[in-house]
C-alpha cells in the first residue's frame, strides 16, 4: 500500500520561503509521479507541482510557477517542494500525492495522498 508522509510545514512570514518533504514508500518508486497539492480554507484542492520519479520534466501550476521547485532524492525515496516569495494566498494544507499514470501534470490522475501539512503565511 502506498504511504506518503509530509513534513516541514509551519508558519512563515510573507516574502519568505519554505521547504516541504514527502517520504514515500510501499510501491515501485521509479515508476510513479509524485506531486504536491494544496487546499486553502473554503477552496478546492489544487495541484501545485508534479515530477516523474524516473526523471524528466517537472510540472507546475500557474499560481506557483517561478516561485516553486519540486525535486527528489531517489536514494531517500523523498520528494521536496521549495517555494519562495510566499504570499498570504499560499496559506493552505499541503498534500503529497502519487500517480501511476506517469502524466505528472494531469492533476486529476493523482489518487494516493498523504495526511497533509499546514503552511500559514503571515504578513
Amino acid at each position: 500500500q502506498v504511504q506518503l508522509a509530509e513534513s516541514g510545514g509551519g508558519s512563515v512570514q510573507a516574502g519568505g520561503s519554505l521547504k516541504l518533504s514527502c517520504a514515500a514508500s510501499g510501491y515501485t518508486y521509479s515508476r510513479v509521479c509524485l506531486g504536491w497539492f494544496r487546499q486553502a480554507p473554503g477552496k478546492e484542492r489544487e495541484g501545485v507541482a508534479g515530477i516523474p520519479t524516473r526523471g524528466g520534466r517537472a510540472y507546475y501550476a500557474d499560481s506557483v510557477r517561478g516561485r516553486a521547485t519540486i525535486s527528489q532524492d531517489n536514494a531517500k525515496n523523498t520528494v521536496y517542494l521549495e517555494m519562495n516569495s510566499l504570499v498570504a494566498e499560499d496559506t493552505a494544507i499541503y498534500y503529497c500525492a502519487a500517480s501511476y499514470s506517469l502524466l505528472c501534470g494531469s492533476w486529476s490522475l493523482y489518487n494516493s495522498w498523504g495526511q497533509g501539512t499546514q503552511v500559514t503565511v503571515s504578513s
Side-chain angles (χ1 to χ4, degrees):
Q1 183 176 355
V2 175
Q3 293 185 333
L4 303 164
E6 305 93 338
S7 61
S11 296
V12 185
Q13 290 285 325
S17 61
L18 64 80
K19 184 175 182 178
L20 305 178
S21 302
C22 172
S25 63
Y27 58 95
T28 304
Y29 187 79
S30 63
R31 299 176 62 185
V32 302
C33 296
L34 290 180
W36 288 94
F37 287 67
R38 67 185 182 183
Q39 187 166 19
K43 295 187 177 181
E44 294 187 354
R45 186 158 52 188
E46 63 170 348
V48 174
I51 190 168
T53 55
R54 64 183 180 181
R57 64 165 289 188
Y59 298 82
Y60 297 96
D62 290 342
S63 58
V64 301
R65 187 172 290 112
R67 301 190 297 124
T69 301
I70 186 170
S71 61
Q72 59 185 323
D73 184 337
N74 284 351
K76 297 181 179 180
N77 282 9
T78 299
V79 64
Y80 305 96
L81 179 69
E82 294 183 84
M83 290 184 59
N84 53 43
S85 301
L86 292 168
V87 296
E89 289 73 24
D90 294 317
T91 295
I93 299 174
Y94 284 72
Y95 297 91
C96 183
S99 166
Y100 282 98
S101 74
L102 298 182
L103 299 175
C104 301
S106 296
W107 310 125
S108 64
L109 298 180
Y110 286 78
N111 55 11
S112 295
W113 305 93
Q115 292 299 307
T117 185
Q118 176 71 48
V119 172
T120 303
V121 182
S122 58
S123 58

